[in-house]
Amino acid sequence: MTSLFARLIAIAIACWPALAAAGPVYDVDLYALMSGTCRNVNIAGRSYTCKAVAYFHTLRGRSEFVVVLDDPTDKSHIVSFSGESAARTQDNLFELAVDRMLLKSSDRPRVDGLPVPLVEMSTGSCRQVGSFVTRQVSSITCAATDRGGKRYELSFESDGSPMTLRRLRQSSLPSERQRARQIAQLECRLKARAAGVLPRDTTAFIIRCLGEDDGKPAGDQQ
């Protein structure tokens, strides 16, 4: 059982879905999780707080700032500010040009039990004050507007803790079912972080979380 837990931890951050309008799921080569407070999160006119904020970079060059919303009515409510043009304009400043918003919720269609994000083509930007090199971030601000005129905003302030940063080794692409399983494991890890689960209890939490997903009726996994 211990070896099973170790394997689950090792692949829990293997990949994250960054879907183009009709494109494939891209694999992630860099993952960073920030610790702090969302001062403002506005999604299409509705205000939220957040449970977690993370940054992902994919093998094909797309970047995302991902926000897990604190929505008591929807545990799967996640939004991503996504774009292909990103640059470190100064030593302590990272900027991303946002070209689409990825909106995930419990009422979205599912593939292998996971909700597929709604893609809204958008225009905007994200600005991170801090450095992935030093693992220190001060703040993250994002603002984007989709083609329908809906506005998306994020204002995040760090609590001063070093970000959790992982560079992932490139390897052969997994099958669709393996990829879906890896995504589920990552989502469970984010849920554990958002729930304040202690490190010693994280493995057990992930196992229970995966078991809950596996136990859903087949009709819920379409």
Side-chain angles (χ1 to χ4, degrees):
M1 186 64 70
T2 300
S3 61
L4 173 60
F5 288 168
R7 288 198 299 272
L8 287 174
I9 291 297
I11 63 176
I13 57 173
C15 64
W16 182 265
L19 300 182
V25 174
Y26 302 148
D27 289 302
V28 166
D29 59 1
L30 177 67
Y31 156 82
L33 181 63
M34 292 72 168
S35 178
T37 302
C38 288
R39 299 299 182 187
N40 175 51
V41 182
N42 189 291
I43 307 300
R46 293 189 59 187
S47 296
Y48 297 91
T49 57
C50 73
K51 292 184 176 181
V53 173
Y55 169 81
F56 294 88
H57 182 270
T58 73
L59 294 176
R60 304 195 185 191
R62 180 162 288 275
S63 297
E64 298 179 16
F65 283 101
V66 180
V67 186
V68 182
L69 301 178
D70 187 3
D71 186 347
T73 66
D74 189 347
K75 295 181 179 179
S76 300
H77 204 170
I78 301 172
V79 301
S80 300
F81 295 82
S82 179
E84 291 184 325
S85 178
R88 188 176 68 173
T89 56
Q90 300 176 23
D91 288 344
N92 204 43
L93 184 62
F94 176 82
E95 295 182 308
L96 171 67
V98 175
D99 60 17
R100 65 196 63 184
M101 294 296 301
L102 307 181
L103 312 177
K104 181 184 291 187
S105 59
S106 59
D107 59 357
R108 291 291 301 154
R110 291 177 175 263
V111 175
D112 288 324
L114 300 174
V116 177
L118 171 67
V119 178
E120 293 284 4
M121 306 307 293
S122 306
T123 302
S125 64
C126 288
R127 179 185 178 100
Q128 174 184 286
V129 179
S131 171
F132 293 113
V133 176
T134 63
R135 302 194 180 191
Q136 293 291 336
V137 60
S138 175
S139 65
I140 299 170
T141 56
C142 295
T145 304
D146 68 21
R147 290 180 175 176
K150 294 179 181 178
R151 182 80 171 170
Y152 307 89
E153 297 176 328
L154 166 68
S155 178
F156 170 85
E157 292 183 8
S158 171
D159 62 9
S161 303
M163 67 177 72
T164 299
L165 185 67
R166 297 289 185 272
R167 295 185 182 275
L168 307 180
R169 184 176 62 238
Q170 298 184 23
S171 59
S172 58
L173 294 178
S175 67
E176 291 297 325
R177 186 166 295 277
Q178 289 173 326
R179 183 181 293 113
R181 186 67 172 177
Q182 291 169 345
I183 293 169
Q185 290 162 350
L186 175 55
E187 291 190 340
C188 286
R189 173 170 284 276
L190 288 176
K191 288 179 182 179
R193 179 67 176 269
V197 176
L198 296 175
R200 67 171 182 270
D201 299 324
T202 299
T203 299
F205 180 96
I206 292 174
I207 294 297
R208 290 196 301 271
C209 177
L210 291 172
E212 290 172 359
D213 287 341
D214 290 342
K216 291 180 181 178
D220 291 342
Q221 300 187 13
Q222 300 300 319

